């Protein structure tokens, strides 16, 4: 019973990672929605008191009851729109990070395939990396669209050079993976 090799561990991580990220996203969105909802104020329970026995009821002057603050006023439409925009921006940021993490995993797969000289599999992994980076670009805010576009160009250049100049591909793939990791790290 030896240690499981790295590729089996990575396959398991790659299978579980989307589920973990989806769960984290669901929790973040539910917290965001809960923050935006108005909180109901507790209702005071008034116990009925028995009327004292009186011989002749005398009419008491009626005073209008003061309005109670039982419900909170509805938030303004601008506030709701801003909250929704903030939630959408957070959702896009999280999806962008998920796609970048997926690209890292695909680059790692390409590195593993390169070590065993499976050039066709490396090329397929690089196509998948480009797809993940494209999805991350679509969801990213403007501040990181430029670096993601540069990463896509680098991945394309690596794929183009794969059959022409395969020497040094391990190092280029490692640099690509590290650059994506750095981009994710800068965002947090």
């Amino acid at each position: 019973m030896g240690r499981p090799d790295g590729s089996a561990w990575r396959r398991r991580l790659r299978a579980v990672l989307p589920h973990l990220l989806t769960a984290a996203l669901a929790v973040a969105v539910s917290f965001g929605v809960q923050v935006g909802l108005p909180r109901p104020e507790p209702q005071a329970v008034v116990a009925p008191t028995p009327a004292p026995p009186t011989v002749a009821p005398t009419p008491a002057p009626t005073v209008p009851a003061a309005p109670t603050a039982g419900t909170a006023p509805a938030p303004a439409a601008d506030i709701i729109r801003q909250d929704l925009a903030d939630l959408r921006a957070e959702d896009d940021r999280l999806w962008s990070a998920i796609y970048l993490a997926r690209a890292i995993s695909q680059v790692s797969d390409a590195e593993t395939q390169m070590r065993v000289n499976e050039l066709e599999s490396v090329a397929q992994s690089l196509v998948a990396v480009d797809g993940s980076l494209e999805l991350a670009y679509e969801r990213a805010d403007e501040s990181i669209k430029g670096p993601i576009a540069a990463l896509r160009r680098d991945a394309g250049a690596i794929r183009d050079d794969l059959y022409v100049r395969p020497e040094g591909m391990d190092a280029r793939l490692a640099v690509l993976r590290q650059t994506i990791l750095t981009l994710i790290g800068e965002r947090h």
Side-chain angles (χ1 to χ4, degrees):
M1 303 297 173
R3 258 176 72 195
D5 65 347
S7 65
W9 181 83
R10 272 182 257 179
R11 264 186 270 131
R12 285 189 206 118
L13 179 64
R14 193 175 47 226
V16 173
L17 186 64
H19 299 289
L20 292 175
L21 293 173
T22 302
L25 176 66
V27 168
V29 169
S30 65
F31 282 139
V33 169
Q34 287 179 1
V35 167
L37 294 176
R39 302 225 185 259
E41 293 188 19
Q43 299 290 327
V45 178
V46 179
T49 57
T54 58
V55 180
T58 58
T62 59
V63 178
T68 60
T71 60
D78 293 340
I79 294 173
I80 292 173
R81 262 188 244 113
Q82 183 61 43
D83 286 345
L84 284 174
D86 291 345
L87 285 174
R88 285 187 184 114
E90 180 66 16
D91 182 51
D92 285 343
R93 188 187 68 75
L94 288 171
W95 275 109
S96 178
I98 289 169
Y99 291 133
L100 288 172
R102 193 164 93 179
I104 290 170
S105 174
Q106 292 161 339
V107 171
S108 293
D109 288 344
E111 286 177 298
T112 302
Q113 295 156 350
M114 190 67 196
R115 285 187 198 106
V116 293
N117 207 23
E118 293 180 14
L119 297 182
E120 188 62 35
S121 297
V122 173
Q124 290 172 354
S125 292
L126 288 170
V127 169
V129 167
D130 184 59
S132 295
L133 291 173
E134 179 182 7
L135 292 170
Y137 181 87
E138 291 172 2
R139 291 290 192 117
D141 57 3
E142 293 300 319
S143 65
I144 64 165
K145 282 192 173 187
I148 293 175
L151 289 169
R152 288 188 69 197
R153 282 190 300 274
D154 292 346
I158 292 171
R159 189 177 67 244
D160 292 343
D161 292 344
L162 184 62
Y163 295 106
V164 179
R165 291 181 298 223
E167 62 278 348
M169 283 295 157
D170 289 339
R172 290 176 71 184
L173 289 169
V175 168
L176 180 64
R177 182 176 40 82
Q178 188 59 42
T179 306
I180 298 171
L181 281 169
T182 302
L183 182 61
I184 291 175
E186 288 174 355
R187 296 183 64 209
H188 297 293

